[in-house]
């Protein structure tokens, strides 16, 4: 198919000369006399190149250029940027005024180049060919990027329908295109490296290296040489020059995993690299400029490490420009079915295991497990079951390690208050399955409120004013709750002043079914 060129000029003689010259070169040429007409044609037809006069009645050439660029970018975004240049057709500006202002403005708005009138036709033909070749190359690059993204989506996709994961997806979308440093927090196995890769593959650095370094896996005395490289003879064993991970990642992304394990003296050098955008190889006398986006991750509380003087405060703030906190799997159990489907689908290709699926009972077993190893543990558990089981449908007995721990649950000391409540509520709901759950919200709130009010009153020595302040409620509200829930308070012998001296008993004599099971 012939490449298509649009000539936009209000001079008939110029349109005639340019059209004849380009048609002789084999191009499919259309013409327009005004900016408005050019935009109308561009909206209806595809053009690879536009020759655009600056000075025309009505809409100027520079304004047409801006509109073509913005429309092209919007079209590429709507199509996911797959296989097309994000700027639409290339544009060559034609001007009779060879001024710096015109040249600067044209290039600033996205023109490929500009020519002054009268146009040298040989020069025009060479420039048109270069512009079209550049556009074709850009299109190939976009196609390759789309293929890389598709491969990434298949192999490294982030999976999750829960609200915390949806928030993470939004954060990735907001910061991926910028070069700000990102700090990813989360327990081991939650997928911090996947998020780092997602930031890279959705950035303009796609096609450049993604280099991952685990700061905890490299001996402390070798980490500097690993990151920055070294010169031959700089230390015993340095028999040749070696470039470090920073240079390997030039133009791309460097992922520093377990950043909290980096020695303090090396933290100072990393801070300088972030500030100066240059590195020093070990044993080198000069500096090397680098262009690297840094994404760091940790399973520790860096703020606590700063307080303990084990992590530099200035480096922490340099890394903590954008923060992504990844919740553990036990806090987003609703993602387990989707994660399981994703892994089983991937294993079909990797392991040649056929189309294995989960039974309802097996899925219920997965949902009940605490997953201290998070998503990584889930993946390995499913992989082991797929490899060892001959069943097309995975059953609970295909997960003996989960059956062995079923009912034991995690240690109470390992759980947060929210997690502990979830464990108890889950057991209560399982026991109530098949029975009427009418009014369960009020029952559960009552059972949680009663021990809370009791403990706060104990802490305040029965001072209801102080207790109301701690709880953040009105004192009269507190009195009503104490009376309604039958919480004992200090007062006259044998009972509470607030309860008229009567013994304080629960209206449900201990909380009813909910109190017993929770």
């Amino acid at each position: 198919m012939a490449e298509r060129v649009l000539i936009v000029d209000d001079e008939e003689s110029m349109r005639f000369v340019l059209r004849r010259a380009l048609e002789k070169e084999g191009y499919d040429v259309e013409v327009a006399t005004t900016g408005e007409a050019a935009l109308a044609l561009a909206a209806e037809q595809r053009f690879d190149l536009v020759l655009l006069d600056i000075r025309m009645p009505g809409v100027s050439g520079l304004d047409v250029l801006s509109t073509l660029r913005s429309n092209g970018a919007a079209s590429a975004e709507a199509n996911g940027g797959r296989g097309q240049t994000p700027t639409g057709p290339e544009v060559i500006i034609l001007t009779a005024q060879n001024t710096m202002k015109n040249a600067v403005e044209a290039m600033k708005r996205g023109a490929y180049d500009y020519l002054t009138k009268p146009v040298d036709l040989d020069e025009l033909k060479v420039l048109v060919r270069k512009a079209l070749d550049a556009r074709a190359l850009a299109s190939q690059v976009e196609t390759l990027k789309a293929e890389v993204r598709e491969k990434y989506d298949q192999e490294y996709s982030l999976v999750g329908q829960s609200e915390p994961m949806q928030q993470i997806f939004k954060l990735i979308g907001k910061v991926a295109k910028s070069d700000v440093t990102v700090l990813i927090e989360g327990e081991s196995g939650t997928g911090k490296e996947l998020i780092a890769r997602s930031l890279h593959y959705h950035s303009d650095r796609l096609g450049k290296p993604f280099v991952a370094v685990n700061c905890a896996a490299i001996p402390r005395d070798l980490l500097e040489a690993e990151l920055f490289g070294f010169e031959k003879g700089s230390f015993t064993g340095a028999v040749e020059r070696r470039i470090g991970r920073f240079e390997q990642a030039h133009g791309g992304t460097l992922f520093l995993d377990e950043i909290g394990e980096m020695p303090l003296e090396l933290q100072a050098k990393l801070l300088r690299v972030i500030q100066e955008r240059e590195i020093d190889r070990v044993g080198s006398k000069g500096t090397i400029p680098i262009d690297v986006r840094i994404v760091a991750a940790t399973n520790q509380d860096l703020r606590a490490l700063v307080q303990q003087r084990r992590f530099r405060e200035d480096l922490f703030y340099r890394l903590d420009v954008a923060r992504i906190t990844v919740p553990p799997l036990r806090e987003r159990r609703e993602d387990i079915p989707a994660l399981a489907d994703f892994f089983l689908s991937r294993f079909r290709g990797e392991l040649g295991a056929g189309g294995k699926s989960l039974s309802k009972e097996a899925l219920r077993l997965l949902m009940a497990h605490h997953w201290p190893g998070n998503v990584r543990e889930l993946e390995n558990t499913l992989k082991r079951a797929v490899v060892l089981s001959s069943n097309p449908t995975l059953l609970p007995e295909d997960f003996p390690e989960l059956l062995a721990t079923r009912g034991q649950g995690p240690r109470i000391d390992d759980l947060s208050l929210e997690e502990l409540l979830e464990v108890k509520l889950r057991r209560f709901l399982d026991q109530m399955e098949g029975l009427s759950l009418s009014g369960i919200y009020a029952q559960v709130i009552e059972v949680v409120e009663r021990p809370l009010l009791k403990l706060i009153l104990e802490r305040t020595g029965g001072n209801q004013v102080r207790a109301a302040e701690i709880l953040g409620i009105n004192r009269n509200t507190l009195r009503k709750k104490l009376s309604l829930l039958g919480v004992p308070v200090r007062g006259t012998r044998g009972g509470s002043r607030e309860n008229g001296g009567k013994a304080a008993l629960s209206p449900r004599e201990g909380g009813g079914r909910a109190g017993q099971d929770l």
Side-chain angles (χ1 to χ4, degrees):
M1 182 183 295
E3 291 159 308
R4 308 197 71 237
V5 179
L6 174 61
I7 298 170
V8 188
D9 201 303
D10 60 336
E11 296 181 26
E12 183 178 357
S13 59
M14 180 61 67
R15 295 196 303 272
F16 175 78
V17 170
L18 295 178
R19 181 171 194 166
R20 185 174 63 175
L22 293 179
E23 285 181 338
K24 285 184 178 180
E25 296 296 313
Y27 300 117
D28 183 1
V29 181
E30 291 283 346
V31 296
T33 60
T34 65
E36 292 89 344
L39 292 174
L41 279 172
E44 298 172 355
Q45 304 178 38
R46 176 192 63 82
F47 292 102
D48 303 299
L49 176 73
V50 177
L51 295 175
L52 184 60
D53 188 21
I54 281 186
R55 299 190 64 181
M56 295 182 294
V59 180
S60 72
L62 290 176
D63 290 337
V64 172
L65 170 60
S66 297
T67 303
L68 288 173
R69 280 287 171 262
S70 61
N71 289 348
S75 175
E77 183 177 351
N79 288 278
R82 299 181 182 274
Q84 58 178 297
T85 57
T87 51
E90 292 290 357
V91 179
I92 297 175
I93 291 291
L94 306 176
T95 176
Q97 296 178 323
N98 187 14
T99 65
M100 185 181 74
K101 179 180 179 182
N102 282 340
V104 170
E105 190 63 26
M107 303 308 289
K108 192 165 66 175
R109 298 196 189 195
Y112 177 80
D113 209 334
Y114 76 101
L115 289 172
T116 56
K117 295 179 179 181
V119 175
D120 182 304
L121 292 180
D122 290 332
E123 183 183 2
L124 172 69
K125 293 173 186 176
V126 171
L127 189 58
V128 165
R129 187 67 265 155
K130 286 175 62 179
L132 289 170
D133 287 345
R135 185 178 187 278
L137 180 60
S139 180
Q140 291 175 16
V141 169
E142 289 299 318
T143 299
L144 290 173
K145 285 183 177 181
E147 291 175 356
V148 170
R149 287 192 183 100
E150 185 174 353
K151 183 179 179 181
Y152 162 79
D153 288 341
Q154 293 173 352
E155 296 185 10
Y156 302 108
S157 180
L158 286 166
V159 177
Q161 301 171 344
S162 62
E163 179 60 26
M165 291 305 296
Q166 293 302 313
Q167 292 302 318
I168 288 175
F169 297 155
K170 290 177 184 178
L171 279 171
I172 291 173
K174 288 178 180 178
V175 303
K177 289 289 185 180
S178 68
D179 273 343
V180 299
T181 305
V182 179
L183 178 63
I184 307 173
E185 297 178 318
E187 295 179 6
S188 295
T190 51
K192 297 187 292 295
E193 183 171 340
L194 284 181
I195 291 175
R197 288 184 180 274
S198 183
L199 288 167
H200 176 73
Y201 286 117
H202 289 91
S203 74
D204 293 332
R205 293 179 180 268
L206 178 62
K208 299 294 183 179
F210 176 90
V211 178
V213 181
N214 188 326
C215 299
I218 301 172
R220 297 166 72 92
D221 54 345
L222 297 180
L223 186 55
E224 179 180 1
E226 187 72 25
L227 288 175
F228 305 126
F230 54 83
E231 296 291 341
K232 180 180 179 180
S234 57
F235 55 85
T236 303
V239 295
E240 62 182 0
R241 171 192 286 179
R242 178 183 292 182
I243 65 171
R245 299 299 183 92
F246 270 96
E247 287 182 84
Q248 293 174 22
H250 183 70
T253 302
L254 180 65
F255 175 54
L256 298 175
D257 198 8
E258 303 304 345
I259 190 72
E261 299 294 335
M262 181 176 286
L264 275 169
E265 60 273 15
L266 197 52
Q267 292 178 27
K269 295 186 178 182
L270 176 59
L271 178 64
R272 182 181 177 279
V273 170
I274 295 174
Q275 292 173 337
E276 305 298 332
R277 315 299 293 180
E278 61 185 22
I279 63 167
D280 299 292
R281 287 201 197 110
V282 177
S284 174
K285 296 180 181 179
T287 60
I288 302 169
I290 50 102
D291 173 24
V292 169
R293 187 204 192 154
I294 294 177
V295 178
T298 180
N299 63 3
Q300 303 182 67
D301 185 349
L302 290 190
R303 300 161 207 75
L305 295 184
V306 169
Q307 294 296 321
Q308 299 165 16
R309 299 188 181 278
R310 292 169 53 198
F311 200 86
R312 292 181 63 103
E313 185 176 20
D314 46 6
L315 177 58
F316 170 71
Y317 288 119
R318 280 285 186 176
L319 296 174
D320 193 32
V321 178
R323 185 191 309 166
I324 297 177
T325 302
V326 194
L329 185 57
R330 61 184 174 275
E331 292 182 6
R332 54 183 185 100
R333 294 177 188 272
E334 61 267 43
D335 289 334
I336 291 176
L339 284 165
D341 287 343
F342 172 77
F343 288 132
L344 290 175
S345 177
R346 200 173 77 183
F347 295 156
R348 291 183 193 118
E350 289 182 3
L351 307 176
K356 293 196 175 183
S357 59
L358 280 169
S359 67
K360 291 182 179 179
E361 295 77 11
L363 179 58
R364 189 176 294 119
L365 185 64
L366 296 181
M367 294 288 288
H369 188 59
H370 189 60
W371 299 112
N374 293 295
V375 179
R376 186 183 295 126
E377 182 188 359
L378 173 64
E379 178 183 6
N380 291 335
T381 298
L382 287 166
K383 181 178 289 188
R384 183 163 49 248
V386 166
V387 170
L388 298 179
S389 174
S390 57
N391 300 321
T393 301
L394 298 176
L395 304 172
E397 49 264 37
D398 294 315
F399 302 92
E401 68 282 4
L402 300 189
L403 287 173
T405 59
R406 184 171 61 177
Q408 297 178 10
R411 293 188 309 120
I412 290 178
D413 291 344
D414 295 334
L415 295 177
S416 67
L417 175 60
E418 182 176 350
E419 291 165 351
L420 180 59
L421 286 171
E422 182 180 345
V423 169
K424 300 295 287 183
L425 285 168
R426 188 179 301 278
R427 291 176 183 172
F428 169 66
L429 290 174
D430 288 343
Q431 293 170 3
M432 295 291 290
E433 190 171 357
L435 302 177
S436 173
L437 295 177
S438 176
I440 191 171
Y441 178 81
Q443 292 182 51
V444 170
I445 294 301
E446 177 182 316
V447 171
V448 172
E449 274 190 315
R450 185 181 296 108
L452 175 61
L453 297 181
K454 181 179 178 181
L455 289 172
I456 295 298
L457 282 172
E458 287 180 3
R459 292 289 179 92
T460 62
N463 187 327
Q464 294 184 30
V465 174
R466 179 63 182 143
E469 290 176 357
I470 293 174
L471 292 166
I473 61 177
N474 184 275
R475 186 184 177 189
N476 290 333
T477 302
L478 175 60
R479 283 179 169 178
K480 291 178 182 178
K481 287 183 177 293
L482 293 173
S483 176
L484 178 65
L485 298 173
V487 178
V489 294
R490 292 187 180 182
T492 59
R493 182 183 303 175
S496 164
R497 289 191 183 125
E498 314 301 340
N499 291 316
K502 298 179 181 179
L505 298 175
S506 165
R508 294 179 178 270
E509 296 184 347
R513 178 64 184 268
Q516 295 166 18
D517 292 329
L518 280 177

